[in-house]
Each structure stands twice: as C-alpha cells, then as structure tokens.
Amino acid sequence: MGALIAYQLTRRLRRQEDLLPTWLGMSAYCAPRGEAGADGCPHLMSDDELRRWLRSVGGSPPQLLGNDAVWHKFAPAFRSDFTLVDTWAPPRNPEPLPVPLSVFGGRRDKLIGEDRLLSWRAFTTHFRGLERYEGNHFYLMNHQQHLAVAITAAMRSAAP
C-alpha cells in the first residue's frame, strides 16, 4: 500500500506543479496495472481464508492470527488496507514521473516476482534499478541496516 500512496501522491504533486520528491523507493509491490484486485482480492476473503492467506505470505505473528480475540481487533484494519489496495483504480496511460525511482524486494517473495517489480521502469523517466534481498515479502525485517544504507545512498545520489 505504501508504494501506491507514494506513487499517487507524487502524481498529484506533479499535477499541482508542486515540489516533487527527490527520489522514490518502492518495496515489494508492482507498478499500477490495468486491472484492480489482481492479487486475489484479500478484502473479499472470509476470516478463515484471510488468516490462511496471511499465514502463507508471512509477516503476521502467530499471536495475531491464532488468537480469535486479538484477530477480531485487528481484522478490520487488515480489511480496510486490503480494500484500498484491491479497489484502487490505476490511472490510464499515465505519464512517467520525472523522479528517480528504485525498487526493492525479496528473492523468495511469493506475491511479487522480479518481472512485476521491474514493471516500475515504465512509470519513471529515471529508473534506478531493482535491489533484491534474501527473504520473502517481508524481507525488510531482516535487512534493515542494508536497506537504510541503500536508501541513504539513493537519496544522496538523486539530490540536486
């Protein structure tokens, strides 16, 4: 969801002829595509299906997914986030953003493969490349220091 928010905000800033970000970093999500809900529409899944799906992709602790009382407190937040992502309508024929853009992802991500991460190339005039790290969709949990270094370097090299 963060990648979509960053992308859409940058598009809006450009339309308003406002200051643009120096650099964009997208993590574990593909560029906008013509179809909404391309990843199975988790927001429409039953509670049991959603919990199974979240277990399969990782990143959610067993204390959350295995405890009914805790799950019922957090499930509405998950559903709201997934509803936003699943129902967002991508722009038709968007112009590439004039902002340097880098993409990050996990090598064993079951949700987003390399080809989908590289799809961001078409959405910028200055694609800075893809960096992949060992891990799944939540690779960043184990690579915080390396990512901080990569992000800092990308921002420094993109700064005017």
Side-chain angles (χ1 to χ4, degrees):
M1 186 166 80
L4 291 181
I5 291 170
Y7 172 71
Q8 195 64 12
L9 176 60
T10 304
R11 289 184 71 238
R12 177 171 285 177
L13 291 171
R14 184 176 187 201
R15 274 193 318 271
Q16 294 172 348
E17 298 181 10
D18 212 331
L19 288 176
L20 294 175
T22 302
W23 169 83
L24 285 173
M26 305 304 192
S27 177
Y29 200 75
C30 65
R33 297 180 293 174
E35 71 275 6
D39 295 316
C41 294
H43 80 284
L44 296 176
M45 294 177 182
S46 70
D47 271 4
D48 288 342
E49 290 171 323
L50 183 56
R51 286 164 106 168
R52 264 193 308 278
W53 183 79
L54 287 168
R55 279 187 192 97
S56 76
V57 299
S60 298
Q63 301 89 330
L64 167 69
L65 299 175
N67 182 316
D68 287 339
V70 175
W71 169 253
H72 290 296
K73 295 229 185 265
F74 284 91
F78 278 109
R79 279 198 195 284
S80 293
D81 286 356
F82 288 129
T83 298
L84 182 64
V85 171
D86 291 346
T87 61
W88 178 71
R92 292 183 187 178
N93 304 317
E95 284 188 45
L97 296 172
V99 175
L101 187 146
S102 303
V103 181
F104 303 92
R107 286 191 184 97
R108 291 181 284 112
D109 190 334
K110 296 176 188 175
L111 297 175
I112 307 295
E114 183 174 348
D115 57 330
R116 290 180 65 200
L117 292 170
L118 288 170
S119 66
W120 281 108
R121 270 190 295 226
F123 289 80
T124 180
T125 58
H126 191 76
F127 186 67
R128 303 285 309 259
L130 167 62
E131 290 190 38
R132 294 185 77 194
Y133 295 83
E134 194 52 46
N136 61 18
H137 192 66
F138 297 94
Y139 71 94
L140 49 93
M141 303 286 201
N142 297 319
H143 299 284
Q144 293 169 351
Q145 187 172 0
H146 288 73
L147 280 164
V149 169
I151 289 167
T152 302
M155 290 180 71
R156 281 189 180 138
S157 68

